[in-house]
Amino acid sequence: MADDNDRIHVSATDARAGATPGVTRYVLIVSLTAAIAVMAYILLT
């Protein structure tokens, strides 16, 4: 049985066990641009 004081060292890639393609940054950019455009349209009309 493992002792609670023993530490297990795992690299970040192994612990995550997946890829991080960075799609979130593009969704953020598009949604921010759309929100600014909609607010500018409402303000100017």
Side-chain angles (χ1 to χ4, degrees):
M1 187 161 167
D3 187 14
D4 289 338
N5 293 329
D6 289 341
R7 295 185 182 252
I8 300 172
H9 296 281
V10 180
S11 69
T13 304
D14 289 338
R16 184 171 46 236
T20 55
V23 176
T24 307
R25 125 181 24 156
Y26 298 116
V27 171
L28 177 63
I29 292 170
V30 170
S31 62
L32 181 62
T33 304
I36 291 171
V38 168
M39 289 184 179
Y41 175 77
I42 291 171
L43 182 66
L44 295 176
T45 57

